[in-house]
Amino acid sequence: MNSLVGRTLQSGKYTLDHLLGEGGFGVTFRATHHYLQQTVVIKTLNAVNQGNLEFTQVQQQFQDEGRRLALCSHPNIVRVSDFFVEDGMPYIVMDYIPGHTLEEVVFPDRPLPEVTALHYIRQVAAALQVVHANGLLHRDVKPQNIMLRQGTQDVVLIDFGIAREFTVGATQAHTSITSAGYAPIEQYMTQAKRTPASDIYGLASTLYALLTAHAPIAAILRDRQPMPSPRDLVPQITPATNQAVVRGMAVDAHYRPQTVAEWESLLSSASPSASPPVIPSASAISQMATQAYSPGKLASPTIAPNQSIKPQRSRQGTWLFVGVAMLASAIAAAFGAIWHNARSPQVTQQPPSIETPESVTPQPSNPSPTPTPIAPVPTPPPKSPEPLPPSPTPQPSSTDNSGSVPVPGFTTGVAEQTIIAKLGEPSRSGTGYWSNTRSAQYDLVPDQVTVAYLYDKDTSKVRQTEASFAQSIDRAVMIETLNGMLDGSLTASIEEGFNSVWKRNANQHTFSTATLKGTIERNDRDRIYIAIWEADLH
């Protein structure tokens, strides 16, 4: 295809000067518009496919790309200026954007400051809202398809090669063309609903890459390969931005925000608007290749019919339930007191109930300084060391709508004021049992869901979260809660442990990650109890 370099088109109107990119379907050139003395970009199909039976269909799709782009007029979307067919080959003429792709700016090891990354992402978000308003999905949002215009802090979304129309609520055919790490799970399927949530996944995963200089794990692998959150890689990232990324990258499209505006609103408290964006230095990008409009895509196989796709996780971390057991004499002492007196290794303990303060056994006023076990569990004495007998799989109540209502919640590291802004003042609060902590409890759904937080007195940030669910609460709600408490990093093994407790096959499942510890239990009041805390707390 390099043989086209130097070729003139449209009776000398254009000359193809330089090959910018080549893929299986298309090729892109930097070209000269001689009449206007301007540099432009011209994209055409790869002639090697001209003999294929499907080439006519590909030509039509290519022409549709030009029409779609022409409909989407926005400063942050590449502009189409011309379209023509010559010698049986279609050509799209677009504005040339001097600069570098964000992939060139960031990779391999130049993560952007958060305020800069958000400045770019908000521009792309504005562009996508125009795309969606025209009934289209871009379907390939990634750093490689976002140009940083030279000498500015303006970015432009390019490459609409696999963009498609969508109909709200309709199941439609998908191409199997995907970009690993940035494509949502539904793009691996031959039939799935097309919604803006697909582009939201690409937008959130692009922000992930800009903040960390790491490509996200492919959606198709995330049921067996946990993806670290942005804050796991860059601890300085604010919790709000971290949660926005996690929620936007929920594997199941149902759990993502359904519009770009809704997702973007999650970022509103994540960056100081008064702070100017940081411009990458010239030296940082001096070795980058010249601009790249890449027409090629990474093709991935369609999921086999028998392959299990786990609808993963993540309502951001803002959608979770956390709870706590409170002391009768000093309600705030609930957190530390029930954990400090961990169970004896010879006896299987039942978790405490945190429905009411009166249900918690008061703890000694002078607890022993002896270190607690590595995998602590709540203290109240069990009625029997034997596991609960098996019973039918629990079902949510058919008369109580509260069982499926999501409730905002937060993971460890979130500031107290962020929680108060969402939940208001707690139902109960006081001094926490653990050194330099204090506690707060919320009865979010009376007799159904109790959530609570253990705060560090110095930083006012969450160090431990707990949740207690009545039997009527849907399993899906509990799973979302657990995933949120883990900051969107629910693994298959932890979910399996939850299922074991939920199905009454076990009374307890304890686990740990690099920074957190936790337990999932069924207590003696037949409630599901979950607790997550920072590994160095106790």
Side-chain angles (χ1 to χ4, degrees):
M1 204 63 194
N2 290 320
S3 60
L4 288 179
V5 174
R7 181 176 179 178
T8 59
L9 301 168
Q10 293 291 282
S11 302
K13 182 178 181 180
Y14 302 105
T15 298
L16 303 180
D17 299 323
H18 176 73
L19 179 68
L20 293 174
E22 181 173 3
F25 290 96
V27 288
T28 309
F29 299 88
R30 188 177 66 211
T32 299
H33 188 313
H34 292 291
Y35 298 167
L36 300 178
Q37 291 299 302
Q38 290 180 346
T39 299
V40 296
V41 169
I42 295 182
K43 185 173 180 179
T44 188
L45 294 175
N46 195 328
V48 298
N49 295 312
Q50 203 162 4
N52 294 346
L53 296 176
E54 297 180 352
F55 188 73
T56 301
Q57 180 182 356
V58 172
Q59 279 184 301
Q60 184 61 50
Q61 290 175 346
F62 186 82
Q63 184 171 341
D64 290 343
E65 177 186 356
R67 178 180 56 81
R68 286 189 295 266
L69 267 173
L71 286 172
C72 300
S73 177
H74 190 271
N76 301 113
I77 298 175
V78 63
R79 186 179 71 92
V80 172
S81 59
D82 198 1
F83 178 89
F84 58 89
V85 177
E86 186 165 317
D87 295 333
M89 295 292 289
Y91 294 86
I92 296 175
V93 183
M94 297 171 284
D95 285 350
Y96 173 77
I97 304 167
H100 301 280
T101 68
L102 291 188
E103 181 179 61
E104 293 171 326
V105 172
V106 170
F107 288 91
D109 57 3
R110 294 178 296 273
L112 298 178
E114 183 174 344
V115 67
T116 306
L118 292 177
H119 178 69
Y120 296 156
I121 284 296
R122 286 192 172 100
Q123 293 178 60
V124 180
L128 286 174
Q129 290 188 68
V130 172
V131 173
H132 296 164
N134 280 282
L136 308 174
L137 300 178
H138 185 279
R139 299 178 71 243
D140 202 17
V141 180
K142 59 183 178 180
Q144 185 180 352
N145 285 341
I146 302 170
M147 295 294 302
L148 175 59
R149 193 183 294 274
Q150 184 177 323
T152 74
Q153 284 298 286
D154 299 331
V155 296
V156 179
L157 181 63
I158 64 172
D159 203 337
F160 282 64
I162 63 170
R164 295 292 184 269
E165 287 89 353
F166 73 97
T167 302
V168 175
T171 298
Q172 297 169 277
H174 279 271
T175 65
S176 59
I177 302 171
T178 61
S179 294
Y182 305 98
I185 195 70
E186 57 268 22
Q187 281 182 224
Y188 290 86
M189 304 175 183
T190 55
Q191 293 286 328
K193 290 183 178 179
R194 292 181 185 168
T195 72
S198 294
D199 280 345
I200 289 167
Y201 189 100
L203 190 61
S205 59
T206 295
L207 180 54
Y208 182 109
L210 301 185
L211 292 168
T212 66
H214 283 77
I217 293 171
I220 199 171
L221 301 177
R222 287 177 55 193
D223 63 331
R224 50 194 178 277
Q225 186 177 350
M227 183 182 72
S229 72
R231 289 188 78 204
D232 289 335
L233 301 175
V234 183
Q236 298 84 358
I237 295 170
T238 62
T241 293
N242 187 74
Q243 297 286 13
V245 172
V246 169
R247 187 175 172 197
M249 293 186 68
V251 174
D252 191 330
H254 173 74
Y255 296 130
R256 297 174 216 146
Q258 297 303 297
T259 67
V260 172
E262 181 186 349
W263 180 80
E264 190 179 7
S265 70
L266 302 176
L267 300 171
S268 60
S269 62
S271 67
S273 57
S275 299
V278 178
I279 302 175
S281 65
S283 60
I285 58 175
S286 61
Q287 299 303 316
M288 298 173 186
T290 53
Q291 109 168 12
Y293 285 81
S294 174
K297 306 295 183 293
L298 176 61
S300 297
T302 302
I303 294 173
N306 62 347
Q307 183 170 353
S308 174
I309 300 296
K310 298 180 86 163
Q312 203 160 320
R313 326 136 152 150
S314 184
R315 273 206 184 192
Q316 177 213 19
T318 0
W319 297 93
L320 69 94
F321 294 90
V322 279
V324 66
M326 311 298 284
L327 287 177
S329 59
I331 296 171
F335 290 103
I338 61 175
W339 286 106
H340 184 77
N341 293 319
R343 67 182 176 92
S344 164
Q346 290 82 20
V347 182
T348 301
Q349 295 284 5
Q350 299 292 336
S353 167
I354 59 174
E355 288 188 45
T356 63
E358 292 76 17
S359 67
V360 181
T361 304
Q363 302 299 315
S365 59
N366 296 312
S368 167
T370 304
T372 56
I374 291 176
V377 293
T379 302
K383 293 181 178 181
S384 168
E386 298 300 322
L388 290 172
S391 65
T393 300
Q395 299 295 330
S397 169
S398 59
T399 59
D400 187 357
N401 292 331
S402 67
S404 59
V405 176
V407 177
F410 306 85
T411 186
T412 58
V414 174
E416 179 182 18
Q417 286 305 313
T418 304
I419 294 177
I420 292 176
K422 285 284 187 180
L423 302 182
E425 295 297 328
S427 307
R428 306 176 185 87
S429 60
T431 301
Y433 182 86
W434 298 104
S435 175
N436 199 40
T437 61
R438 51 191 177 80
S439 60
Q441 176 176 322
Y442 294 84
D443 298 322
L444 293 177
V445 183
D447 300 321
Q448 300 291 308
V449 179
T450 304
V451 303
Y453 311 90
L454 183 63
Y455 298 113
D456 185 286
K457 286 183 178 179
D458 294 333
T459 65
S460 295
K461 292 184 178 180
V462 175
R463 298 210 65 193
Q464 177 167 311
T465 68
E466 300 182 9
S468 174
F469 302 99
Q471 188 61 57
S472 58
I473 301 300
D474 287 348
R475 174 190 174 279
V477 170
M478 300 185 202
I479 285 292
E480 290 176 33
T481 298
L482 176 57
N483 185 55
M485 295 166 81
L486 291 167
D487 205 11
S489 298
L490 177 64
T491 65
S493 63
I494 295 176
E495 185 172 353
E496 183 179 352
F498 171 88
N499 289 336
S500 181
V501 174
W502 185 73
K503 293 178 181 178
R504 304 180 191 274
N505 294 329
N507 289 337
Q508 175 190 20
H509 175 73
T510 59
F511 57 89
S512 63
T513 68
T515 58
L516 300 172
K517 293 182 180 179
T519 186
I520 306 165
E521 307 178 19
R522 182 178 292 279
N523 68 14
D524 57 3
R525 303 189 67 167
D526 204 30
R527 292 170 70 98
I528 297 293
Y529 172 81
I530 303 173
I532 308 290
W533 63 96
E534 294 177 350
D536 60 352
L537 177 59
H538 53 81

